[in-house]
Amino acid sequence: MTGRPFLQIPGPALVPERVARAMSQSLIDHRGPEFASLLKEVLDGLKNVFQTTGGEIVLYPGSGTGAWEACLVNTLSPGDRVLGCVNGHFSDRFCQTASAHGMTVETLEVPYGVGVPADLVEEHLRADKKREIKAVLALQSETSTGVVSDIAAVRQAMDRAGHPALLLVDVVSSLASIDFRFDEWRVDAALTGPQKGLMLPPGLAILAVGPKALKANQSAKCPRFFWDWAPVLERNARGEFPYTPATALLFGLRESLAMLAEEGLPNVFLRHNRMAEACRRAVEAMGLKLLVKKRHECSNTVTAVRMPDGFDSDAYLAHAEKSLGIPFGPGLGKVKGKIFRIGHLGSLNELELLAALGAVEMTLKSFGVNNPLGAGLAAAESYFLQTAANTGQGL
Amino acid sequence: MTGRPFLQIPGPALVPERVARAMSQSLIDHRGPEFASLLKEVLDGLKNVFQTTGGEIVLYPGSGTGAWEACLVNTLSPGDRVLGCVNGHFSDRFCQTASAHGMTVETLEVPYGVGVPADLVEEHLRADKKREIKAVLALQSETSTGVVSDIAAVRQAMDRAGHPALLLVDVVSSLASIDFRFDEWRVDAALTGPQKGLMLPPGLAILAVGPKALKANQSAKCPRFFWDWAPVLERNARGEFPYTPATALLFGLRESLAMLAEEGLPNVFLRHNRMAEACRRAVEAMGLKLLVKKRHECSNTVTAVRMPDGFDSDAYLAHAEKSLGIPFGPGLGKVKGKIFRIGHLGSLNELELLAALGAVEMTLKSFGVNNPLGAGLAAAESYFLQTAANTGQGL
Amino acid sequence: MTGRPFLQIPGPALVPERVARAMSQSLIDHRGPEFASLLKEVLDGLKNVFQTTGGEIVLYPGSGTGAWEACLVNTLSPGDRVLGCVNGHFSDRFCQTASAHGMTVETLEVPYGVGVPADLVEEHLRADKKREIKAVLALQSETSTGVVSDIAAVRQAMDRAGHPALLLVDVVSSLASIDFRFDEWRVDAALTGPQKGLMLPPGLAILAVGPKALKANQSAKCPRFFWDWAPVLERNARGEFPYTPATALLFGLRESLAMLAEEGLPNVFLRHNRMAEACRRAVEAMGLKLLVKKRHECSNTVTAVRMPDGFDSDAYLAHAEKSLGIPFGPGLGKVKGKIFRIGHLGSLNELELLAALGAVEMTLKSFGVNNPLGAGLAAAESYFLQTAANTGQGL
Amino acid sequence: MTGRPFLQIPGPALVPERVARAMSQSLIDHRGPEFASLLKEVLDGLKNVFQTTGGEIVLYPGSGTGAWEACLVNTLSPGDRVLGCVNGHFSDRFCQTASAHGMTVETLEVPYGVGVPADLVEEHLRADKKREIKAVLALQSETSTGVVSDIAAVRQAMDRAGHPALLLVDVVSSLASIDFRFDEWRVDAALTGPQKGLMLPPGLAILAVGPKALKANQSAKCPRFFWDWAPVLERNARGEFPYTPATALLFGLRESLAMLAEEGLPNVFLRHNRMAEACRRAVEAMGLKLLVKKRHECSNTVTAVRMPDGFDSDAYLAHAEKSLGIPFGPGLGKVKGKIFRIGHLGSLNELELLAALGAVEMTLKSFGVNNPLGAGLAAAESYFLQTAANTGQGL
């Protein structure tokens, strides 16, 4: 394959070359003074990205799955009741993690493509008269369906119900892409990986942890050693880790946090919104339907597209991969074979998105779908031109 | 600027990451055994790319301009008459190099956008009854106009005229992109740089030199030291150079030659032709006109596009650079302000070209040209789909 | 600091540039065909390094600590009795991991600097008439003390006792450096990280798992989700992972495994032995004492050196770091302040080791120790010259 | 070969990883605004390094040999008389470059290992009553012999003779390593390559040009096109080049100039002096003799060592390369086979120098020389310790 590869799965995204270069630095002593300074920069930068001053950051070599586990075993005990908001494959897996650790998960399920219903959360919590539910689990962006949920509204629902449960939020495909306010929304723990908005290769579990969660840790009875955040926080205070950290990723993280700071978080959110809307308009102009019906529930990092009737999306993706070498995300769980997902997160620009949309147009056509060539691209171009002023571009 | 940059000037093109990685290797002793082996690989690989077994390769740290100089001072003497075929800015500069070194240049000029007229070359040489003309200078691909000339036809014209002049050919923007046959066409010296079809950063002057040129070197009287190829050939035979070579570029060159060999030269030519034709169709579908009128004279590495009446192409390019950060090539010499050039050479794929064409559509529109959005992209997509079978792709 | 950095902690070691370059490749879809092929290469290569054909490889984003946890929670249940062989800081932490997960750890403690006593293991197991001990935990190389233990002897001891406990071995600082034979020694699970003999940045937990351990997994009752190896093995069989893998590290691992295969494992072991012995002789020639008394119990990856009386090793290491920017490993646990450790693992050559030993000589001197300059270096040089023939070098 | 390579030829030196990373950035349009800004930074930084405010910088893709040619053809005419100070292989080649371009070279030859004798320069110029000599050619550091000459003294000699000849100085192996003051010493043109003190891969010819040389350019009659600096200066003023520049090297140069500025030129000179003196003392402690007899004429970038009687240095270097993979510089010209040269320039630290000296000790020994192991290293260590305070290190 000549030219540069495209990778339009909803994460990992391609790593910017600034970050890749930063990661290739010679390793340093993870217990030395240079490391301590690296760690401080990274923790401070992550606090900015989580929009928290009161929370603590906890990092592990790991993955989003590991971050779920870390979040749960540090704050809860076997037998605890938790309320899991399930609207897709990954929210389901978050709940499975809780079950695997002996918690009793009560799920609040809504169809794929719909956001977490804050009113039902409120209702469910009100019904828990004895206040036995220890935590509410929710995803800000369900990567499997491209739905974004209103976490502020969930917080308000919990407040209205006067319920003391912890609010544990997965921001894997939203952090550093979609506005997330840890302090303002009083989230108790939020978790993510590095390979989405943070523009790194995968390999970390990243948490922001608030005071209530830190306190819950002291009474949490889940057995834990690697994931125990108490020694991490204690050793971080001395500029090190209780285990060997993934130094190369931390080099990269320092750089990507610097890039986000240079751009400014509000601009980062605006950019993702513009890319996402261009993608959505293009997809609709191709004659396709989005999985998410309500525009304000569409995630700005991933767009789930319904495969036209009579076509299997898995077969289509294999065709796209084979013919143009471009991967998109498959339908997972209940929508397997029925949707495909276009990732538009991380460090992506208008031209790269046009290229990816061109790939969709061409591969759909050659797969047998009767879509008009160029229509989606024209829609995206048109939207980019209309909104160029917002970006300070002279387009 | 987020995302990956685009660089659509007609060279340098973006360096493939395989090549960039190869170039980042630790330097080695340029007089040691490892270097000797590197040099051999590079010389052999270049012979393949020039399609020569009888010629020798000569490399210098330098540029295309340096390669012109090397080619001339090694084979000619001050006062020599040479015939320069001028059909653009760079062919003109090739002739200026000869003039600067005291040669008498007779130019055979044709308008920008037209190829070298083999019949006029024949006529001119026939008129040189005394056989005083020592060399014919021609460019296979005039980078400034996107015209490709038929070098085989020039050779045949020289043969028909029975003229003994050397045939010195600039293949800067054609080698490793457009079929060039050093041996078959009996070219005496051909020259290029590394930053086009060879997919490297600039910094080398590369020549293939045939037996007649090697012989001419012995009587050539142009003063020379750095460019003198005799010591280069002598030292190369011992695996080294008479000066410090640009080792990092040679590491990269070994890799890019490997990539070309893996793909196969015929496939490389086919790919460039497909990209170029997609570009040409897209440009025409946008309602624009190509500078080159005859399709078979269109270069497969660069497309020169006439700026619509009433618009200045330099101002347009500044607008494109400012609004999307994408550089295209300006009009040079006689067509300054009147054309812009789209480079589509090196390691480029369909999706990247679509992106670049999308940039043209959007920036033309926002510059005030009344072009229909999406039309060019649809034309390129359609052509890619029609020709996918030729590439072994399942599009 | 000018020049190249030195990093003589006992891991991570400096990453070879071949591996660093491999890691900088563009990310790929972790569910695509290219990834499946990468995964297969990596798993096969690791089997070679573990010297196993009957075992399975399990990989996680993680660390050595995570690998301990993975090894234990997949094979054991809360309340299980395990025998922990403790002869240093890390063997102690392995046991703490077991305790944290509810196991009852019986420790067989020997002083720091001594290997695991196979006869005492046998005795302990014989005493367990009811065969209630479920696992024996041991480290092949105790990174904190530089002791290597005879795992084959431990296996034989278990055999002699006729005890069915699992043999779970930490090979963090021995794999790919010191001979380790998973199959021949009938180890049930072995675990490591990537940042030692595998020459990568940290960020993985790597296990080899034998049939008995795989079977134990089915009845193990430790709660687990992220670390559960059953879905990993199941998904690996389809060329993917149940979570987002650390793709960049896998790119690097493929390359480092290729390097090990090119050199040949026996040569890798010989090289580490030669480096280590040169280091030991140098240290002794400086007038210092090794922590490990028995030469055959000295690890070939790390050398623990007793700080001369009256000097604190932590203060010394801070001095070395400050004055020459070179980090060595500190004394951990019971020998804190009393020893320092020289790492000589991964991709290290004679000249780099001389440089590191020179740093020891100079910084000891300037720290106030009355060591003779040059003596250690002369001893290392002399040993290198004596043993050059073994390496095929003409020294 | 495991571990990191050593490269102790007197340039190219190993490229610092900061510079290597900078060079791997994506190429940019060499006629765009980003390039203009890069060029300005590079030109300003080079002025600082040349210690000039009144001179202009001229850059070409090329080499030191090319820089000689550029320097000469821009300022002189065929038939001009020039005075060449010859004290080694490269000063001889500088003169050959002049001869090749038709100049009449009068050489002032002194033995290898001795600096340029300012008094003889004065005498020679005084004898030129008609003031026909147009230029004095001298090398600040003769890379082939490791001699440094006093350029200030040469300038004073010319002044005393009241001679208007241009002073053209090769600073290839001295710039950014040994104090060189373009303005203060009224040098007319100085030239270098990037692969020594500037810490880059080879591939550039770099000149500083003063007002008299700029004026000389206007009447100089040497034919030139590529090397003509007039169009370079003219186009540089607009932020571009008349040919395709070696952009990747310019990326690297920006970074290496930043590193030099961070360290501060006086510290850079001090560091090179310290490395060089450590090397000289080590070599003497090994029982070997330096080629240069006067200590103040020893270059701080390269040390030429006399091979002990009865041994051939070329054979020795082949042995060192084969046994430890470490290249040193051979004897060139009149001292071929009689000396070897240790390069200690660019980004090198104490530990790397120790390693290189260890390589000398070991390979001499195994080559049959009866040198005492460790003696040279002890001498270097001792010197480093004595002089640590000067460097701000706490050694």
Side-chain angles (χ1 to χ4, degrees), chain C residues 195-253:
Chain C
Q195 75 273 20
K196 315 267 178 172
L198 294 174
M199 304 183 288
L200 286 166
L204 292 177
I206 302 170
L207 284 85
V209 185
K212 264 181 73 180
L214 287 170
K215 199 172 167 206
N217 177 268
Q218 296 165 19
S219 52
K221 295 204 167 42
C222 280
R224 58 187 179 272
F225 190 78
F226 178 78
W227 298 119
D228 195 0
W229 70 40
V232 176
L233 291 167
E234 183 204 326
R235 295 288 285 277
N236 275 190
R238 285 184 272 151
E240 46 182 55
F241 276 97
Y243 49 77
T244 310
T247 311
L249 284 167
L250 299 183
F251 282 142
L253 186 49

Side-chain angles (χ1 to χ4, degrees), chain D residues 29-67:
Chain D
D29 181 8
H30 53 289
R31 298 207 168 105
E34 198 177 338
F35 184 84
S37 142
L38 165 66
L39 177 59
K40 188 175 168 7
E41 274 188 80
V42 162
L43 296 180
D44 287 349
L46 283 171
K47 283 185 188 172
N48 290 339
V49 168
F50 276 103
Q51 303 190 45
T52 184
T53 54
E56 297 286 342
I57 302 297
V58 188
L59 294 172
Y60 310 86
S63 72
T65 304

Side-chain angles (χ1 to χ4, degrees), chain D residues 9 31 96 113 145 209 246 260 264 305-306 344 351 385 393 395:
Chain D
I9 55 175
R31 298 207 168 105
Q96 287 173 32
T145 62
V209 185
L260 291 169
V305 183
R306 287 183 184 279
H344 34 74
L351 301 185
L385 287 168
Q393 289 181 331
L395 251 184

Side-chain angles (χ1 to χ4, degrees), chain A residues 4 17 21-22 24-26, chain D residues 4 17 21-22 24-26:
Chain A
R4 293 176 296 180
E17 64 172 66
R21 281 201 303 272
S24 71
Q25 287 170 61
S26 281
Chain D
R4 293 175 296 179
E17 64 172 67
R21 281 201 303 273
S24 71
Q25 287 170 61
S26 281

